[in-house]
Amino acid sequence: MSGEFELLYQAAGLLLGAIMGSFLATVLIRWPQGREVVAGRSRCDSCGATLGVRDLVPVLSYAALHGKCRRCGARIDQRHLAVELAAAAIGLAALIAHPLPLAAVTALLGWWLLLIASLDQEHHWLPDALTLPLIPLGLAVGWAGFGPGLAERAIGAAIGFAALEAIRLGYRRLRGREGMGGGDPKLLAGIGAWVGALQLPFILLGAGLLGLAAVLLMRRRGEKVTAASRLALGALMAVAAWPVWIVAAA
């Protein structure tokens, strides 16, 4: 691949990722509010003005408008920019890590996990509509010949769910309260269907290290950390899962 073509190839990954990020940010903001995600024209959340094409260019429109609505001057939700940049980085990294068509599969998983992590981090919510489809999708990717074998993925899905569900139920029985949401075992089952059973310990180790870093950051900020403090386990697992997939699928 020539240098010029490689640059265009990577730029395409950035652009497609930013466009996908614009959609994911809309889902992240609207879905928890019970609003329509895909119906109707895009509008300013503050004044309701319909947004034109020049207002909707990912990243660039935010920068050109200095993060404010062109009509009313209200601040544009910074989640738009953050998710667009993250999704663009995923698109670029997928093309660098893997050749097509595997790169497309890797990018799709990365964007899916980005939305899951964002929803869980912000709302402690792991919708079945996002976690459960990961299982058949992961098995389908294995059937197509990408990454770990189909049998290992099926075992990974079963073990992922059973392990966290047993911990969740055991904690509730011992402590008399919930210590883990019901979506976490489903998410680990979905992740197991992608990376396979042998990679699950690395997912949990990565999530644990990320959780430890989050706790240290909370303490550094002066926040009180107790046994009742909540960490978004699903978000931690989602963040840990994508790099493990990149290595496992190579």
Side-chain angles (χ1 to χ4, degrees), residues 104-192:
V105 174
T106 297
L108 175 62
L109 177 62
W111 294 327
W112 200 296
L113 292 174
L114 173 60
L115 180 57
I116 286 176
S118 300
L119 284 169
D120 194 38
Q121 178 62 34
E122 187 169 334
H123 302 285
H124 292 279
W125 181 40
L126 293 172
D128 287 352
L130 288 179
T131 57
L132 293 181
L134 280 174
I135 299 174
L137 284 173
L139 296 177
V141 168
W143 178 81
F146 298 117
L150 190 57
E152 184 182 343
R153 290 168 183 261
I155 295 172
I159 291 178
F161 178 81
L164 282 197
E165 184 68 3
I167 293 172
R168 186 180 75 87
L169 295 176
Y171 184 93
R172 186 174 66 182
R173 183 170 183 176
L174 289 173
R175 301 296 296 273
R177 59 185 174 87
E178 295 290 349
M180 181 189 302
D184 294 305
K186 298 172 187 176
L187 175 58
L188 192 57
I191 291 172

Side-chain angles (χ1 to χ4, degrees), residues 9-103:
Y9 181 71
Q10 294 175 359
L14 281 170
L15 177 59
L16 181 59
I19 293 172
M20 179 60 69
S22 181
F23 170 72
L24 294 179
T26 300
V27 175
L28 173 62
I29 293 169
R30 293 184 180 181
W31 193 6
Q33 297 174 355
R35 298 164 56 193
E36 290 288 343
V37 174
V38 296
R41 297 283 301 276
S42 296
R43 298 179 180 277
C44 172
D45 291 328
S46 297
C47 66
T50 301
L51 302 180
V53 174
R54 61 177 179 168
D55 301 313
L56 297 172
V57 180
V59 180
L60 297 181
S61 290
Y62 188 96
L65 295 170
H66 304 289
K68 297 181 180 180
C69 173
R70 188 188 305 276
R71 281 79 175 178
C72 67
R75 297 292 303 180
I76 299 172
D77 195 317
Q78 292 186 347
R79 286 175 291 182
H80 281 286
L81 179 63
V83 176
E84 287 170 4
L85 289 173
I90 288 171
L92 174 62
L95 290 179
I96 292 175
H98 295 147
L100 288 172
L102 177 56

